[in-house]
């Protein structure tokens, strides 16, 4: 796949210890590959240090090598082993795909009455949990494709699901402004975190399973925050991260090798990606992706890279640089 060099304008903000924000406008060259999608990219997830999968409003799932700029496979139909992954859409179906097999889905799972908005695969890849705007969660046996558990909570419009590593628990964010922790053994609610003031758009568990983060909708700086929660004993709120001006759509824990400290990253409809000190809540760096439109999804690529999906410019490849303090910059779009 060919590549095109282009000059793009970026706004970056460096936060000094004395609280003064330094803004730098700089022109940087980045590689612009042929777009993976022809419309808004709704979600991106990393399969390994080379491959990612993405889904968009063009009803296409794409497997992409983000280091070479090549489409590995395009799945047309409507997260995850290296060879199998799942997608969901407004057609109320969940599809299982084989990265190394046919471009047609291996399996179709049908059971929800409305759009499917959340997917989470168990740590041993034997079970899949799905959530929907129909207020229900379904638990599936991946091998047989059979639904083994069903649970419903009134007004629980699911926005995202995440399986806690090495645990039988599933995190779930909702439009009812709550974060729920489900026990997959019987699919029962194990804990409900304190209700927030705005819709919870996304949730993510740390790799050690000790903490989780969620993020909020909002506008004009009202809401628009990410929240760190304790998953072990107290299950209380630990810290909040405020600084976005529109809905925060995605949040991820950053590997220590990526940030050199406990840190999280958020992406927002305000076209900004922010890096935060996980312990203090201080914003360490802000990258403004001008022309991207709302940012919809964020994923860790490898020990130096982030992948960020957008409305207008496809998927951004971002890299962390520590040569002059912690900085984040754009490398390519596809």
């Amino acid at each position: 796949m060919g590549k095109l060099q282009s000059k793009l304008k970026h706004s970056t903000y460096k936060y000094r210890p004395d609280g003064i924000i330094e803004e730098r406008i700089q022109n940087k060259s980045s590689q612009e590959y042929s777009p993976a999608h022809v419309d808004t990219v709704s979600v991106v997830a990393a399969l390994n240090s080379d491959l990612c999968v993405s889904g968009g409003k063009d009803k296409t799932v794409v497997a992409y090598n983000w280091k070479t700029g090549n489409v590995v496979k395009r799945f047309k139909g409507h997260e995850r082993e290296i060879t199998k992954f799942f997608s969901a859409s407004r057609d109320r179906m969940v599809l299982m795909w084989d990265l190394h097999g046919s471009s047609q889905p291996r399996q179709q799972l049908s059971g929800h009455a409305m759009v499917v908005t959340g997917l989470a695969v168990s740590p041993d890849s034997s079970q899949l949990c799905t959530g929907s705007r129909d207020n229900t969660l379904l638990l599936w046996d991946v091998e047989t494709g059979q639904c083994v558990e069903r649970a419903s909570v009134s007004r629980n419009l699911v926005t995202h699901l995440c399986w806690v590593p090495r645990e039988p628990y599933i995190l779930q964010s909702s439009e009812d402004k709550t974060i729920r922790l489900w026990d997959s053994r019987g699919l029962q609610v194990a804990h409900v975190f304190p209700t927030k003031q705005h819709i919870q758009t996304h949730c993510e568990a740390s790799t050690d399973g000790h903490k989780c983060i969620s993020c909020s909708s909002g506008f004009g700086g009202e809401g628009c925050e990410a929240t760190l929660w304790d998953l072990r004993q107290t299950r209380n709120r630990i810290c909040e991260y405020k600084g976005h001006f529109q809905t925060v759509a995605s949040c991820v824990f950053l590997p220590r090798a990526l940030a050199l400290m406990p840190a999280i990253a958020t992406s927002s409809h305000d076209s900004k990606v922010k890096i935060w000190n996980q312990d203090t809540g201080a914003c360490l760096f802000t990258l403004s992706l001008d022309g991207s439109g709302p940012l919809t999804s964020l994923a860790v690529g490898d020990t130096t890279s982030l992948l960020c999906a957008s409305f207008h410019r496809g998927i951004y490849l971002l890299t962390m640089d520590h040569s002059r303090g912690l900085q984040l910059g754009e490398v390519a779009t596809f």
Side-chain angles (χ1 to χ4, degrees):
M1 181 176 297
K3 61 183 73 171
L4 173 67
Q5 294 288 334
S6 62
K7 291 284 187 176
L8 298 175
K9 178 182 176 183
H10 305 286
S11 305
T12 61
Y13 305 82
K14 185 70 176 180
Y15 290 75
R16 289 170 27 184
D18 56 13
I20 298 175
I21 303 173
E22 300 175 344
E23 180 177 356
R24 298 192 300 277
I25 306 297
Q26 55 188 354
N27 287 322
K28 285 189 176 182
S29 295
S30 66
Q31 295 176 339
E32 188 169 324
Y33 297 104
S34 297
H37 295 271
V38 297
D39 204 340
T40 296
V41 181
S42 305
V43 64
V44 62
L47 293 177
N48 56 31
S49 60
D50 297 305
L51 296 177
C52 68
V53 290
S54 59
K57 289 189 176 180
D58 56 6
K59 301 181 181 178
T60 301
V61 177
V62 178
Y64 203 93
N65 186 316
W66 49 269
K67 288 188 175 179
T68 65
N70 293 320
V71 171
V72 176
K73 187 169 289 189
R74 196 176 295 273
F75 305 89
K76 191 72 176 177
H78 10 218
E79 258 161 16
R80 68 198 181 214
E81 296 176 19
I82 296 302
T83 58
K84 294 197 293 285
F85 60 93
F86 297 87
S87 67
S89 77
R90 292 182 178 273
D91 62 7
R92 300 171 292 178
M93 300 291 293
V94 176
L95 304 181
M96 183 173 76
W97 308 89
D98 190 334
L99 184 61
H100 304 304
S102 168
S103 294
Q104 298 301 312
R106 283 186 54 180
Q107 200 170 67
Q108 297 187 38
L109 308 178
S110 177
H112 286 288
M114 296 183 70
V115 54
V116 181
T117 50
L119 297 170
V121 180
S122 64
D124 64 2
S125 302
S126 66
Q127 293 182 308
L128 171 72
C129 186
T130 61
S132 168
R133 290 183 63 84
D134 62 9
N135 304 325
T136 65
L137 267 68
L138 302 181
L139 193 65
W140 306 83
D141 184 298
V142 170
E143 187 66 29
T144 65
Q146 298 298 310
C147 179
V148 295
E149 297 285 356
R150 176 186 293 265
S152 181
V153 175
S154 178
R155 299 183 180 179
N156 181 34
L157 280 72
V158 177
T159 57
H160 191 74
L161 293 173
C162 173
W163 209 297
V164 179
R166 298 183 293 277
E167 296 287 350
Y169 298 113
I170 303 161
L171 277 169
Q172 180 239 315
S173 54
S174 173
E175 287 193 15
D176 68 1
K177 307 175 185 178
T178 63
I179 302 293
R180 291 179 174 84
L181 187 66
W182 294 80
D183 191 332
S184 63
R185 299 164 295 187
L187 206 56
Q188 301 290 323
V189 176
H191 183 72
V192 180
F193 292 90
T195 302
K196 299 284 290 179
Q197 295 298 311
H198 295 79
I199 290 171
Q200 297 301 282
T201 58
H202 188 90
C203 56
E204 188 83 11
S206 60
T207 55
D208 59 12
H210 296 171
K211 299 179 179 69
C212 70
I213 44 177
S214 66
C215 46
S216 297
S217 66
F219 185 76
E222 285 291 323
C224 314
E225 79 271 3
T227 305
L228 181 69
W229 307 91
D230 177 23
L231 273 180
R232 302 187 75 189
Q233 297 178 352
T234 65
R235 293 180 174 169
N236 290 336
R237 184 181 69 187
I238 300 173
C239 191
E240 283 197 330
Y241 311 93
K242 296 183 177 182
H244 285 291
F245 287 92
Q246 294 187 41
T247 292
V248 181
S250 189
C251 49
V252 294
F253 287 93
L254 297 182
R256 183 64 68 95
L258 192 61
L260 305 182
M261 67 179 72
I264 68 167
T266 55
S267 64
S268 168
H269 288 185
D270 62 11
S271 303
K272 292 179 173 61
V273 178
K274 289 181 178 286
I275 307 297
W276 310 83
N277 184 306
Q278 178 182 300
D279 297 330
T280 67
C283 184
L284 304 173
F285 196 82
T286 297
L287 176 65
S288 182
L289 297 172
D290 302 325
S292 68
L295 302 178
T296 56
S297 182
L298 197 61
V300 175
D302 58 16
T303 56
T304 61
S305 304
L306 289 173
L307 299 163
C308 184
S310 72
F311 260 52
H312 301 319
R313 300 232 23 242
I315 301 168
Y316 289 85
L317 173 60
L318 310 174
T319 59
M320 201 80 76
D321 180 13
H322 297 280
S323 61
R324 292 180 297 171
L326 192 151
Q327 296 186 24
L328 186 67
E330 179 191 340
V331 174
T333 57
F334 53 90

